[in-house]
Amino acid sequence: MSAALLEVVRGYLDRHGEPGGLAQTPIPGLTIIRTSEPSGLDYAITRPLACLVLQGSKRVMMGTRSFNFSAGDSLLITADVPTVSQIIQASHEVPYISLVIDLDPALLTELMEEMKAVPSAELEPIRIEPTDSEVAEAALRLMRLLERPASATVLHASLVRELHYWLLAGRHGPAISRLGWPDGHAQRIARAVKVLRTEFTRPLPVEHLASVAGMSPSSFHHHFRNQTSLTPLQFQKQLRLIEARRLMTGEGATASSAAFAVGYESVSQFSREYRRLFGLPPARDASVAC
């Protein structure tokens, strides 16, 4: 089944994709990644997702932990966590190819209610397992649907739902079940994370974020760190620094203009924190962009 899925994905990329990087599909939440050479380090605060690797190998690091996965594996990320990723096996002849599906907590909640599933105490936000055959089969039918746009408009939602079902019913089920727990800690923290992602350039007191999550400040701080591995302030700083790096490397912004654009008032503070996260001064990234 994985071989058939790889063939269909390759065909789609040949007809619609760019030579490398991300290929957004018309189906919301479904993305294809293709890279023809090993990559540098990519810093991100990753959203909950399932990544089905079809070819090549990749490494994802979270804190001091490192996870390697390759063709036939699925990577599952069940919380908004800081990651450093790197494609470690890819070539022009055999590029790295993966299919990424954003996880929909509302859909998981609906499925768990119908399945009468009990949320797991699973707390590990990253895990890797062999791809279940049912998941690969649902992904294959979803990819084939892309070549029939009129049908995709009507049918894609049911296939995305089925894909979530098989993820929940399979070996990844315990890990993602907490995402579907109505008003559980994961969904409450997700409400605060949404505010942080959209408003990270302005000051966001913990008390305000705790109110959004419906928790006391102390409880919010505890559960936020348990889920994301960061404090709310550290989370906001990483969002700012990652966006600043994108502005410099992708849009040619200077270090100072990027710092002010993401909410810093002090360029020297920005430079210190940038070097601490990325291991090099922001001026180096800004000069590379030029």
Side-chain angles (χ1 to χ4, degrees):
M1 186 57 66
S2 293
L5 178 57
L6 174 60
E7 182 180 353
V8 171
V9 170
R10 275 179 179 162
Y12 181 85
L13 286 168
D14 290 342
R15 292 186 293 275
H16 306 286
E18 298 296 328
L22 296 177
Q24 299 290 348
T25 74
I27 295 176
L30 180 65
T31 305
I32 303 170
I33 299 174
R34 176 174 62 181
T35 304
S36 298
E37 59 185 15
S39 71
L41 299 179
D42 180 36
Y43 293 76
I45 293 186
T46 309
R47 300 175 189 272
L49 58 81
C51 174
L52 282 58
V53 183
L54 307 180
Q55 193 166 267
S57 299
K58 191 172 185 177
R59 176 181 298 124
V60 170
M61 292 157 279
M62 187 187 78
T64 59
R65 300 194 62 185
S66 179
F67 305 83
N68 286 11
F69 51 105
S70 55
D73 291 333
S74 285
L75 164 75
L76 200 78
I77 298 181
T78 59
D80 294 73
V81 292
T83 60
V84 183
S85 61
Q86 184 176 28
I87 293 168
I88 55 177
Q89 184 181 352
S91 66
H92 289 284
E93 294 76 20
V94 186
Y96 170 85
I97 298 176
S98 65
L99 201 61
V100 179
I101 301 100
D102 293 343
L103 295 175
D104 184 342
L107 189 50
L108 290 170
T109 298
E110 177 185 316
L111 287 167
M112 285 183 65
E113 289 175 351
E114 293 184 24
M115 296 165 67
K116 296 181 171 35
V118 178
S120 168
E122 174 80 49
L123 293 177
E124 181 58 60
I126 296 179
R127 64 184 291 155
I128 295 163
E129 297 279 2
T131 301
D132 286 320
S133 59
E134 295 89 352
V135 171
E137 184 178 346
L140 174 60
R141 285 186 279 115
L142 192 59
M143 285 300 306
R144 283 175 171 162
L145 196 62
L146 287 173
E147 296 308 313
R148 307 177 68 179
S151 300
T153 301
V154 177
L155 297 177
H156 82 268
S158 61
L159 283 176
V160 168
R161 187 178 191 274
E162 181 185 346
L163 189 55
H164 278 66
Y165 170 82
W166 289 119
L167 285 167
L168 191 58
R171 46 171 59 100
H172 283 305
I176 65 174
S177 63
R178 66 191 184 120
L179 277 173
W181 185 10
D183 208 35
H185 293 144
Q187 292 200 4
R188 290 186 178 209
I189 296 301
R191 294 201 293 265
V193 165
K194 184 177 181 180
V195 172
L196 279 162
R197 284 191 180 275
T198 56
E199 303 179 29
F200 65 88
T201 61
R202 70 180 186 88
L204 291 168
V206 170
E207 292 76 11
H208 171 64
L209 295 171
S211 176
V212 170
M215 297 179 176
S216 69
S218 60
S219 177
F220 170 74
H221 195 278
H222 171 75
H223 289 294
F224 190 97
R225 185 158 195 165
N226 273 355
Q227 185 160 312
T228 68
S229 80
L230 299 173
T231 67
L233 179 59
Q234 290 169 336
F235 193 98
Q236 184 177 22
K237 282 182 179 179
Q238 287 212 18
L239 285 173
R240 287 180 169 182
L241 294 169
I242 290 167
E243 173 61 10
R245 193 182 204 196
R246 186 195 68 79
L247 290 172
M248 288 186 293
T249 60
E251 299 185 13
T254 63
S256 58
S257 64
F260 294 132
V262 299
Y264 277 89
E265 297 181 356
S266 166
V267 175
S268 60
Q269 180 187 0
F270 166 71
S271 297
R272 286 194 304 272
E273 293 180 355
Y274 193 97
R275 183 191 287 270
R276 192 176 301 128
L277 179 61
F278 298 119
L280 74 170
R284 183 75 61 84
D285 276 339
S287 64
V288 169
C290 295

